[in-house]
Amino acid sequence: MTDKSLHANPNKNRTPRHRAREFALQGLYQWLLNNEPASTVVANIRSAHGFEKADAEYFNELLHGTITQSVALREMLAPTIDRPVAELSPIEHAVLLLGAYELKNQIEIPYRVVINEAVELTKSFGGIDGHKYVNGVLDRLAGKLRVDEVAAEAKR
């Protein structure tokens, strides 16, 4: 079985940074469901098939940063979602935390790229229409966190 066939969406060209997001999503999912310490999650994910093709440094930053800031990220997300966080699917919850982290902390990455990556992760790992929900929530959040960038794009 090839690495390509193990992925939920094998036709996509996956860069090392995209792979880092995939593994960070898997780590967040594990953390949300099992409530394990970040060190245990990292050890499990780093031993996963294909991890060597991911940007390990970015994976660490995403996973540790998102877990460390999870309470604040949930508070930022709360006004943009239509239900309590506990009612989100674990994949949507993890993708929204990851996307919120990148929107808040990775200013050098255009907000549209952050949203697109989150949508692609949700399409690959989430439910049928979960990507639409993630897109709407992160778009609203970007309007709050990246006011100038969103306004500049709206003028184009």
Side-chain angles (χ1 to χ4, degrees):
M1 190 179 277
T2 67
D3 177 44
K4 191 172 183 178
S5 67
L6 292 174
H7 186 263
N9 195 350
N11 296 323
K12 291 288 180 182
N13 180 17
R14 295 178 354 262
T15 65
R17 190 162 268 209
H18 181 79
R19 289 174 190 267
R21 287 181 180 99
E22 289 176 338
F23 285 113
L25 172 62
Q26 292 172 34
L28 287 170
Y29 181 84
Q30 180 180 340
W31 175 74
L32 287 169
L33 291 183
N34 299 332
N35 200 23
E36 293 177 332
S39 58
T40 302
V41 172
V42 168
N44 289 341
I45 296 299
R46 283 185 165 278
S47 67
H49 175 76
F51 184 82
E52 69 281 354
K53 295 179 182 177
D55 180 338
E57 186 177 319
Y58 198 60
F59 161 78
N60 281 330
E61 181 178 345
L62 287 176
L63 188 63
H64 287 288
T66 303
I67 290 172
T68 301
Q69 296 179 23
S70 63
V71 172
L73 296 172
R74 286 185 185 110
E75 289 171 0
M76 285 184 343
L77 285 165
T80 65
I81 60 177
D82 61 353
R83 62 192 93 157
V85 172
E87 292 180 14
L88 293 171
S89 80
I91 290 292
E92 288 172 359
H93 187 181
V95 170
L96 288 172
L97 285 173
L98 196 58
Y101 176 83
E102 284 193 286
L103 285 172
K104 180 177 180 245
N105 298 289
Q106 303 297 328
I107 303 301
E108 72 281 0
I109 301 173
Y111 83 96
R112 284 281 173 214
V113 172
V114 171
I115 293 172
N116 184 60
E117 286 289 326
V119 165
E120 290 302 318
L121 288 172
T122 309
K123 284 180 179 178
S124 294
F125 297 101
I128 301 290
D129 286 332
H131 67 282
K132 295 175 185 176
Y133 183 73
V134 164
N135 183 58
V137 169
L138 291 179
D139 194 54
R140 287 189 293 279
L141 186 61
K144 293 178 181 185
L145 294 177
R146 302 217 188 159
V147 176
D148 294 339
E149 184 182 355
V150 172
E153 185 168 304
K155 290 180 182 179
R156 289 184 194 176

